[in-house]
Amino acid sequence: MQTLTPNVELFHAKRRHFTCSTQTSTFIPTKPLSVFPATKNNREHLRNLENVLKTSSNSIENFNNKVSSRQDKTTTLLGGLNLARLWPQMKAAVDEMSPKNLKRLQRLLSKSSEERSPKNKLGSKWRELHGSNNWAGLLDPLDEDLRRELVRYGEFVQAAYQGFHSDPEGSPRDVALPDGSYKVTKSLYATSSVRLPKWIDDVAPDLRWMTKQTSWVGYVAVCEDPKEIRRMGRREIVIALRGTATLLEWSENFRPNLVSMPEPKPDPSDPTRPKVECGFNSLYTTGSQHAPSLADSLVAEISRLVDLYAGEELSISVTGHSLGAAIALLAADDIAERVTHAPPVSVFSFGGPRVGNREFADRLDSKGVKVLRVVNSQDVVTKVPGIFADNDKNKQGQNRNNGGIREMVERNNPWAYSHVGAELRVDMKMSPYLKPNADVACCHDLEAYLHLVDGFLASNCPFRTNAKRSLRKLLDEQRSNVKVLYTGKSLRRNRSSVLDYGDVLPSPSS
């Protein structure tokens, strides 16, 4: 840290402008500072002091008034002392303490003032936003409409998480969708093929949901609002899938060997066959006596909706996080394969692992399934499973044409995975609010992903200053990974006592 050395000569030069009063032991400048106007009398000062010391009753309106008053005093004092001129290094601190920035931070930390971006009409653009041109020219810099769509799909996945945690042993009665224009039409369940000893349930009966073979994993929702349908240019069907939650799902994640997909070919050992991870495929295709497989349930529901809305323009958006992102690829492939007259299918995934080999990626592409993966550079989940994976299309083409040793090893290696589709890469270190050394959980957290997407402009640009997404969820879920400046502000903002801004740091990038 750079040490600020005061200019002694400048201090002596300034000292003669102050005189010491014999009545009070306070330094009084010959010219009164603007923070203490001469017109204010003692009664007004006492009344202001009483208001500051008054205990807060969690009233947002009262809090805003106090903060605004404090901001005005702080800013006027800083302006009177002219710190930016005396110490140029403090200019960033002066800017950060400005009323505009403090008011914006207050809004981002508020639980009740979630600000939404305006919704533009997408009728002429929705196919492009859903990958008709593989998102060329829309990712870097990030298109504003695409940013809003990605955040919206992420919130559909958050609703799946919330629905599961509201009733992990059964099925949520009501899924709190982020958009009231949509209605849930089907609950989705995934079944594991792994069996655990019964004594595990006896040891921890309260955590029996962790060892359930079949668990609620997401839902199908359809837009029913005519106004929203006109805005989007079509009726949208959304499939939202949560990430790993149960012990059996974790066990499936650690079955990384590739297995062949059910495709009619004479030789199952053919290395050119599409293959996917064993555990993901098991969760998607396994059924039980209590519920059909996720594959059969999903295909039946999508077929029903396609027939129900025959004649309308439809789209299918499959979105998921982590394990849900992996299953989303299997679901998109299955829908394109088995649903008659299937509308365009697009996948929007967050923090998804690799799912299959290069032939699986080619299979999705040949069916017209469009995939956009949102990847955090610090998220290790997006780098597994697999040993060999080359995602550069030009290099892949060279490998195929050259037929080198690497190509032969990849084709015959049971862990030869490859990513699918286009990629939007965000970086945790670009956020001014998160610690650059955030832990693994934060790097993979869905809310952290949405925070990064909301602030992403381009790979060569800083975090956008007009980001609208509230920091409250991020603070609630990843407080230890948020910089002290903002956790301190948040604690004081919700504390029912005197507010103090004494530990405000000079800059959010510190």
Side-chain angles (χ1 to χ4, degrees), residues 28 58 69 78 94 98 128 154 160 164 174 214 219 230 238 254 318 344 362 391 406-407 412 416 430 434 451 499 502:
I28 303 176
N58 289 329
S69 175
L78 290 173
V94 176
S98 67
E128 185 181 4
F164 173 77
D174 296 307
T214 302
Y219 59 89
R230 288 193 299 270
V238 174
F254 291 100
V318 193
D362 293 341
N391 298 314
R406 180 185 177 90
E407 177 77 5
N412 291 278
M430 294 183 69
L434 292 169
H451 165 71
L499 301 177

Side-chain angles (χ1 to χ4, degrees), residues 188-199:
L188 301 175
Y189 299 85
T191 300
S192 171
S193 61
V194 177
R195 301 291 189 274
L196 292 178
K198 293 183 178 180
W199 61 264

Side-chain angles (χ1 to χ4, degrees), residues 117-122 145 148 152 178-179 181 228 231:
S117 297
K119 291 183 177 181
N120 297 331
K121 291 185 177 180
L122 306 179
D145 291 322
R148 297 185 189 104
R152 187 170 68 93
D179 192 331
S181 305
E228 184 68 3
R231 184 191 73 84

Side-chain angles (χ1 to χ4, degrees), residues 377-392:
S377 296
Q378 286 75 39
D379 187 0
V380 297
V381 174
T382 63
K383 301 175 176 63
V384 296
I387 297 177
F388 294 98
D390 192 345
N391 298 314
D392 189 324

